[in-house]
Amino acid sequence: MKERGILSASDLRKPWNKAIYGFMVLCIAVMVFTMLYPIGMTMFNGLKSNQEINTFPPRFFPSEWHWDNFPKGWEYIDLPMFLKNTLLIFGGNLLVTILVLGLAAFSISRIRVPYHRVFYFFILMTLFIPASSYMIPNFVNLKELGLLNSYWAFWLPAGANAYFFLLIKNFFDGIHPEIFEAARIDGASELSSFLRIAVPLSVPIFATLAIFTFSTAWNDWFWPSLVMQTQDKYTLATAIYKYVINARSLDSSIKFAILFMVMVPPIFVFLIFQKFIMRSVSLSAVKG
């Protein structure tokens, strides 16, 4: 069945509607170009010589293709090691999100614990606190616990993400309660209902949160640079910031080659999971 757009075929026959539609298409084309231009410029700059990058006026396409910049960039920085650290942080954060935040949201949504509304509104109020205001207290707490330079410095704070909690709770509220009542009649415990019913039915929201978690683990460089004190524990973004962007002796062409290699995996993640990314737009509206 063909989906209907904002304007039907009869609407497009009107000159005014056709002009508005054309203007909207032009705006979308300009937005797409402005988003794709930096990616293309990064890729082609990675294929230029260092002298050509610094010439003025700049050229979009290289006059001579230097494919050897990518192997040089791969040898300059240990991308597999930093990628492994990033994926470990992502995997741990996602597991903590499913278990800790999922169980907490399930308790507030389905189990009428005492003062559950008080807990809910208390968590809701924490959204109004800027994240930068509790960064130093988190750092001090992790230091006193002896968890600096370990992955627990990321996994533990992931269990206190109020925004993720509210998204999961909002999704659990939409599951028909008759399903859980039938499970209780059959003798299932609350934990069994969570693992066997709530989690399988909540794959869309957990997939959406997985995308958010991956994006944060991939792009965040400031917090890892604070809590990780040795090079072998750096994330990919922190390593790029410290050893590529701030490297004065490294050729600009090799910098662009490394940056393009780092940009490719998130693009594939978006193309694979774009269905969940689009669905996250509707899930972002949290209701009480």
Side-chain angles (χ1 to χ4, degrees), residues 184-198:
R184 293 190 187 97
I185 294 174
D186 291 338
S189 62
E190 299 298 342
L191 181 60
S192 179
S193 298
F194 170 76
L195 296 175
R196 297 185 179 183
I197 299 177

Side-chain angles (χ1 to χ4, degrees), residues 10-267:
S10 60
D11 293 333
L12 290 176
R13 295 192 185 99
K14 301 177 181 179
W16 180 249
N17 290 338
K18 187 179 295 185
I20 295 177
Y21 182 77
F23 178 74
M24 292 173 60
V25 172
L26 179 62
C27 292
I28 294 174
V30 172
M31 291 176 60
V32 171
F33 175 78
T34 55
M35 294 177 184
L36 294 180
Y37 180 80
I39 300 176
M41 179 61 73
T42 303
M43 181 184 69
F44 289 119
N45 281 345
L47 295 171
K48 296 178 182 178
S49 63
N50 193 54
Q51 293 76 15
E52 188 176 3
I53 292 179
N54 298 321
T55 57
F56 187 84
R59 299 178 56 182
F60 187 77
F61 297 102
S63 57
E64 184 178 354
W65 301 79
H66 292 266
W67 297 97
D68 58 328
N69 288 336
F70 288 92
K72 290 180 181 178
W74 185 270
E75 295 175 358
Y76 174 79
I77 187 172
D78 194 354
L79 290 179
M81 180 184 68
F82 300 127
L83 177 61
K84 180 198 69 173
N85 297 337
T86 304
L87 294 180
L88 283 174
I89 293 173
F90 159 69
N93 288 353
L94 182 60
L95 183 62
V96 169
T97 298
I98 295 175
L99 294 180
V100 178
L101 296 180
L103 286 171
F106 184 77
S107 301
I108 299 296
S109 177
R110 293 301 172 192
I111 306 174
R112 297 307 176 189
V113 297
Y115 306 105
H116 65 280
R117 287 190 175 273
V118 176
F119 290 118
Y120 172 75
F121 284 110
F122 175 79
I123 297 173
L124 184 62
M125 285 189 297
T126 60
L127 293 176
F128 295 92
I129 303 175
S132 57
S133 63
Y134 52 79
M135 184 174 295
I136 295 178
N138 279 346
F139 179 83
V140 173
N141 290 334
L142 293 172
K143 183 178 180 181
E144 293 178 352
L145 293 173
L147 297 178
L148 293 181
N149 203 37
S150 69
Y151 297 118
W152 287 104
F154 300 90
W155 297 341
L156 284 182
N161 192 316
Y163 180 69
F164 285 5
F165 167 83
L166 295 174
L167 285 180
I168 301 172
K169 191 252 180 206
N170 180 48
F171 194 89
F172 284 165
D173 289 342
I175 301 177
H176 295 291
E178 292 81 4
I179 301 176
F180 300 101
E181 292 174 1
R184 293 190 187 97
I185 294 174
D186 291 338
S189 62
E190 299 298 342
L191 181 60
S192 179
S193 298
F194 170 76
L195 296 175
R196 297 185 179 183
I197 299 177
V199 173
L201 292 177
S202 304
V203 170
I205 183 63
F206 286 129
T208 301
L209 296 182
I211 296 170
F212 290 160
T213 305
F214 176 82
S215 176
T216 302
W218 192 271
N219 297 323
D220 188 20
W221 64 270
F222 184 70
W223 180 250
S225 64
L226 287 178
V227 299
M228 293 301 188
Q229 302 170 347
T230 57
Q231 178 181 346
D232 60 329
K233 293 292 186 66
Y234 283 164
T235 61
L236 194 59
T238 304
I240 293 297
Y241 176 77
K242 286 182 173 292
Y243 304 128
V244 177
I245 297 178
N246 288 339
R248 298 183 178 180
S249 60
L250 184 63
D251 291 344
S252 298
S253 58
I254 299 180
K255 286 184 179 181
F256 280 106
I258 296 174
L259 291 176
F260 180 73
M261 287 189 289
V262 174
M263 293 168 63
V264 170
I267 295 176

